[in-house]
Amino acid sequence: KLQVPESLRWEHLERNINSNVPETFFLKQALRPEHDFDIIREEVRWDDESDDWHHGAVLGRLDKVDGGEKDLRLALTFEWKDQGWGNSKGLICVIAHDTREPSKIIEAQDAEYVVRTENVAPHESSEPQTLTFPGEVGKYYSLYYHVGGGGGHLLYLRNCKLQVPESLRWEHLERNINSNVPETFFLKQALRPEHDFDIIREEVRWDDESDDWHHGAVLGRLDKVDGGEKDLRLALTFEWKDQGWGNSKGLICVIAHDTREPSKIIEAQDAEYVVRTENVAPHESSEPQTLTFPGEVGKYYSLY
């Protein structure tokens, strides 16, 4: 786990390294009351000549409810407009699905939405609009859009946020649809005091015959600090052991990097770590260990 103080804003991209699906990224979101998830930050433009519904963005998944089955209503807020002339046909809706990967296109007659805009998009940019809908535990939810057939129709959407009540635990996988790199996923994490981020849940086993450092997990990125440059120390806690016999050589360290994609292997002489275990891993499973290290705004950190 990685403990992050309340004053820091942390971007956490978590890879489920126990998954059978390589490079499966996801997150668990710690919530404040009515936390807003950014779905689409800057204005996005959609065009289409059919009457189908097209996938716009994954909103996330309702993981569980704290304190009983209550307060399950979610709110999607946004600003929108169409092409600015002619017939108005633009619509958006929210559709529930059972798997992380939703359908890219849904034919009009098959669209079983949980909520849909009552009116079509206006010619001029609107005041903020709100769609409220009930959540169901275990379901994923996605935003879909309908531009409208006939040619020349456009739909613009911006400042789209999802409001989630404090009582809900929400999995939020956000795609940066304004990025030039397709399917770029990221997240912003809302924090509680000393929030713990799960880095590796279940036991993982690594083996290697070199003296190199191998990438284990991305811890995240220090996005900004609230309340001044203070309280920048992070704490990585873990339990560990080696093969249980012979020489003990196992070590872990934390390395800072400037980009989201860290080096998979770093040769021993090139490892510029911010912190490293002083002792090697024991033969038997240890008591919880802690590595503390200073954070630098804008830097990514990884476990090696």
Side-chain angles (χ1 to χ4, degrees), residues 13-194:
L13 183 60
E14 178 181 341
R15 176 185 171 197
N16 182 0
I17 66 173
N18 305 117
S19 171
N20 293 324
V21 183
E23 303 298 327
T24 299
F25 292 99
F26 65 98
L27 64 94
K28 296 283 187 175
Q29 186 77 22
L31 303 181
R32 286 172 172 169
E34 291 295 328
H35 183 73
D36 287 348
F37 292 90
D38 283 324
I39 306 301
I40 297 173
R41 291 182 174 84
E42 301 172 6
E43 186 174 86
V44 64
R45 166 184 154 167
W46 292 311
D47 62 87
D48 180 54
E49 295 188 0
S50 75
D51 285 318
D52 299 327
W53 289 93
H54 294 260
H55 186 261
V58 175
L59 304 181
R61 174 180 175 270
L62 180 49
D63 184 47
K64 67 176 182 177
V65 183
D66 292 341
E69 298 292 323
K70 61 181 182 180
D71 196 21
L72 299 190
R73 295 198 69 80
L74 308 166
L76 187 70
T77 62
F78 57 93
E79 299 169 26
W80 66 338
K81 66 179 180 180
D82 68 7
Q83 69 281 351
W85 56 272
N87 292 336
S88 297
K89 297 185 178 182
L91 297 165
I92 67 169
C93 73
V94 174
I95 290 179
H97 45 103
D98 296 320
T99 60
R100 185 182 300 279
E101 292 299 325
S103 301
K104 297 301 183 186
I105 300 177
I106 299 177
E107 294 184 6
Q109 66 272 18
D110 298 328
E112 297 180 0
Y113 43 79
V114 293
V115 67
R116 198 202 76 173
T117 49
E118 294 183 3
N119 300 315
V120 293
H123 285 338
E124 301 295 331
S125 188
S126 69
E127 294 295 314
Q129 309 291 300
T130 302
L131 285 178
T132 59
F133 60 96
E136 181 181 343
V137 173
K139 286 284 190 182
Y140 292 88
Y141 293 89
S142 281
L143 163 68
Y144 281 77
Y145 64 89
H146 169 278
V147 176
H153 294 284
L154 300 172
L155 183 60
Y156 296 85
L157 193 73
R158 67 178 184 179
N159 294 335
C160 184
K161 299 176 182 288
L162 182 69
Q163 293 180 344
V164 178
E166 185 182 20
S167 65
L168 308 188
R169 287 296 168 269
W170 188 255
E171 283 187 1
H172 175 57
L173 183 60
E174 179 179 341
R175 175 185 171 200
N176 181 0
I177 64 172
N178 303 117
S179 171
N180 293 323
V181 182
E183 304 299 327
T184 299
F185 291 99
F186 66 99
L187 64 94
K188 297 280 187 175
Q189 186 76 24
L191 304 179
R192 286 173 172 168
E194 290 295 329

Side-chain angles (χ1 to χ4, degrees), residues 183-245:
E183 304 299 327
T184 299
F185 291 99
F186 66 99
L187 64 94
K188 297 280 187 175
Q189 186 76 24
L191 304 179
R192 286 173 172 168
E194 290 295 329
H195 183 74
D196 287 348
F197 292 88
D198 282 327
I199 305 301
I200 298 172
R201 291 181 174 84
E202 302 171 6
E203 185 175 90
V204 63
R205 167 184 155 171
W206 291 311
D207 61 87
D208 179 54
E209 295 186 1
S210 75
D211 285 320
D212 298 328
W213 289 93
H214 295 260
H215 186 260
V218 175
L219 304 181
R221 174 180 176 270
L222 182 49
D223 184 45
K224 67 176 181 176
V225 183
D226 292 342
E229 298 293 323
K230 61 181 181 179
D231 197 21
L232 299 190
R233 295 199 69 81
L234 309 167
L236 185 69
T237 63
F238 57 93
E239 299 168 25
W240 66 337
K241 65 179 181 179
D242 67 7
Q243 68 281 354
W245 55 272

